[in-house]
Amino acid sequence: MAQLQPVRGTHDILPDDYARFRHVVDTARHAAALFGYREMATPIFEFTEVFARSMGETSDVVSKEMYSFTDKGGEGLTLRPEYTAGICRAFISNGLQQHVPLKTFAWGPMFRFERPQKGRQRQFHQIDVEVIGAAEPQADVEVIAVAAEILRRLGILDKCTLELNTLGDPESRAGYRAALVAYFSGYADRLSEDSRKRLEKNPLRILDSKDEGDRRLVADAPLIQEYLTPAASDFFKALQDGLGAAGVPFTVSPRLVRGLDYYTHTAFEFTTDMLGAQGTVLAGGRYDGLIEQLGGKPTPGIGWAGGIERLVLLSDPQPAPPRVVALIPIGAAAEAEAVKLAGELRRADIAVELAYGGNAGKRFKRADKLGCVVAVVIGDDELAKGIVKLKDFGTGTETEVARGNLLAALKA
Ligand code: ATP
Ligand code: MG
């Protein structure tokens, strides 16, 4: 065991970093709530099948990146690599068909065995938004608008581009698939080993390959646009019109495909050029076949996930909230009184710093360093008179306040 080190690809989130992390989650939760999305959570591990069946055997995630294990009861389990499959599983197991459209917000840790680098970890975190049970393109517009609103509130919408594409309906996909097989078969000897396998099982996946040689071939591959059925084409048009009406700018990227098997129609990514190779901050699409694939009744769905670490890298540092009040007792009697007073103030929702020890001078210094706005000083004199001394750290002024008026004075 590498002693006392975090496992490769995992990170501690220390308090200063956590403030930024939490700001992303809070902002996302709040914006999602404005659109009527309610928070939920699913377990961190599921039966391996939940992911294998939904994300597809040939996906990078399922074929290479899952943390799978057999537990002591002999169950084949996997630490979740993404949220969508678990939420769809929950939709089925809890019989939520009566509650469509189900609009959810979720966040939490995800696990993928990848090569760690900046913005790419083995335990990372996602925010996630899903709509289950809505087939209309207006739902696609809405989930994308939620994403844009979150990015806007985080101050990073300007640093991102929304790339949009359609993967068509199953009929369009069938025609496109045949065209891709015909095209790539001509270059089979130049494809990477992974992509040669994909050619049989899932040729669309080749378009998402990160291999240089594959990418050169992909550049001239046929485009889905030429194979769209009128219905799929109308759907894509409605999506673009809707985004226009919602004021969300986008560019159509005809070669954008998503790495997972379950997408149909809409695929999108918010990308940035400020994070090097880890340029996708938030990505998603429509997954009309997924719930059926998991064993539920055919139910359409659409959603996305955003990487919290990447969002944090793009957003500004969060100032630590000021600790408003420091209590500084002088003497044993005041010490006991301060504990009591701190309790009263905290019950009134005032954050109070009370050091465990040290002389008054040290305590003043520490309070100042912590960013306290005001110190409440109690010594024997003040105790006898039933008052406290207030010292304002900003102006340096000292005032005396009757004990009974302290709360009002602090609130002012
Ligand atoms: P990439 O192409 O970067 O591997 P992906 O297509 O695998 O991304 P998704 O499965 O769509 O990613 O996950 C959605 C978002 O989660 C990504 O856009 C990214 O912000 C974040 N994410 C995915 N994998 C990681 C990781 N290993 N570390 C940190 N963030 C990640
Ligand atoms: Mg990946």
Side-chain angles (χ1 to χ4, degrees):
M1 184 173 73
Q3 297 284 329
L4 302 183
Q5 293 294 317
V7 174
R8 184 165 143 80
T10 69
H11 288 274
D12 304 307
I13 310 174
L14 300 178
D16 281 345
D17 296 333
Y18 206 92
R20 304 177 68 175
F21 187 95
R22 199 183 56 189
H23 177 64
V24 169
V25 176
D26 289 349
T27 302
R29 178 192 294 113
H30 180 71
L34 294 173
F35 288 78
Y37 291 69
R38 295 174 66 208
E39 188 163 5
M40 68 172 283
T42 61
I44 284 174
F45 53 85
E46 300 268 356
F47 292 116
T48 296
E49 255 179 70
V50 170
F51 305 112
R53 246 203 264 169
S54 58
M55 301 172 88
E57 267 175 68
T58 57
S59 65
D60 278 354
V61 174
V62 173
S63 62
K64 299 178 199 156
E65 297 174 358
M66 293 211 298
Y67 277 92
S68 300
F69 60 99
T70 308
D71 77 358
K72 292 189 167 61
E75 303 283 11
L77 306 178
T78 292
L79 299 184
R80 66 182 178 202
E82 60 133 40
Y83 236 131
T84 309
I87 290 176
C88 289
R89 195 273 308 140
F91 177 84
I92 300 168
S93 351
N94 292 283
L96 299 180
Q97 288 80 2
Q98 312 306 320
H99 299 270
V100 297
L102 180 73
K103 307 196 328 181
T104 65
F105 167 77
W107 77 277
M110 305 294 152
F111 306 85
R112 296 184 192 178
F113 189 78
E114 303 203 61
R115 198 165 67 75
Q117 44 202 298
K118 186 182 166 202
R120 189 175 297 285
Q121 301 169 201
R122 291 182 173 176
Q123 175 176 337
F124 62 102
H125 299 77
Q126 286 183 336
I127 49 172
D128 180 281
V129 157
E130 313 283 349
V131 177
I132 300 183
E136 300 85 354
Q138 284 74 18
D140 306 48
V141 173
E142 187 180 84
V143 296
I144 293 174
V146 175
E149 180 59 15
I150 292 168
L151 297 175
R152 190 188 68 77
R153 284 170 180 258
L154 290 174
I156 60 183
L157 186 57
D158 296 347
K159 300 177 188 169
C160 298
T161 306
L162 168 58
E163 299 185 40
L164 192 65
N165 195 19
T166 177
L167 304 174
D169 47 19
E171 207 187 322
S172 324
R173 285 273 277 270
Y176 186 44
R177 192 195 142 97
L180 286 179
V181 171
Y183 171 80
F184 284 117
S185 296
Y187 302 101
D189 51 331
R190 283 167 58 188
L191 283 173
S192 69
E193 201 186 317
D194 277 347
S195 285
R196 268 200 299 278
K197 277 185 215 145
R198 294 174 180 131
L199 188 53
E200 286 155 39
K201 289 188 179 162
N202 192 346
L204 232 84
R205 169 109 344 109
I206 299 174
L207 303 181
D208 203 28
S209 169
K210 287 178 173 128
D211 178 89
E212 274 301 315
D214 289 351
R215 300 208 66 77
R216 275 192 292 275
L217 294 173
V218 165
D220 292 320
L223 295 176
I224 179 99
Q225 271 70 16
E226 297 153 34
Y227 298 87
L228 293 180
T229 59
S233 186
D234 287 350
F235 192 99
F236 194 40
K237 167 109 188 1
L239 169 63
Q240 295 177 63
D241 291 348
L243 287 173
V248 180
F250 60 89
T251 57
V252 173
S253 298
R255 287 179 207 285
L256 172 71
V257 294
R258 305 272 312 126
L260 309 178
D261 270 354
Y262 52 57
Y263 288 110
T264 54
H265 289 296
T266 311
F268 65 91
E269 291 186 344
F270 282 89
T271 57
T272 179
D273 51 17
M274 298 173 84
L275 295 180
Q278 276 58 251
T280 308
V281 278
L282 188 154
R286 177 165 278 281
Y287 48 82
D288 289 349
L290 174 58
I291 291 192
E292 197 178 358
Q293 219 167 299
L294 279 173
K297 294 205 185 76
T299 310
I302 166 116
W304 55 255
I308 298 179
E309 284 80 3
R310 293 186 195 177
L311 291 165
V312 165
L313 285 170
L314 279 184
S315 56
D316 293 327
Q318 285 304 298
R323 326 242 183 144
V324 184
V325 175
L327 264 183
I328 303 189
I330 302 168
E335 207 62 74
E337 184 61 17
V339 172
K340 198 171 137 210
L341 187 53
E344 283 169 29
L345 295 177
R346 287 170 184 147
R347 279 192 289 281
D349 244 10
I350 294 176
V352 176
E353 278 298 323
L354 180 57
Y356 306 129
N359 61 30
K362 268 197 185 142
R363 292 187 185 209
F364 269 112
K365 255 189 219 147
R366 182 169 178 274
D368 199 18
K369 208 170 138 196
L370 284 174
C372 291
V373 180
V374 64
V376 177
V377 186
I378 329 174
D380 290 338
D381 248 21
E382 286 79 14
L383 269 181
K385 289 196 224 154
I387 60 162
V388 298
K389 236 186 240 152
L390 285 192
K391 180 175 171 174
D392 186 311
F393 278 104
T395 59
T397 51
E398 276 187 27
T399 42
E400 291 189 347
V401 180
R403 182 62 211 266
N405 296 337
L406 177 60
L407 204 58
L410 288 175
K411 290 213 155 150

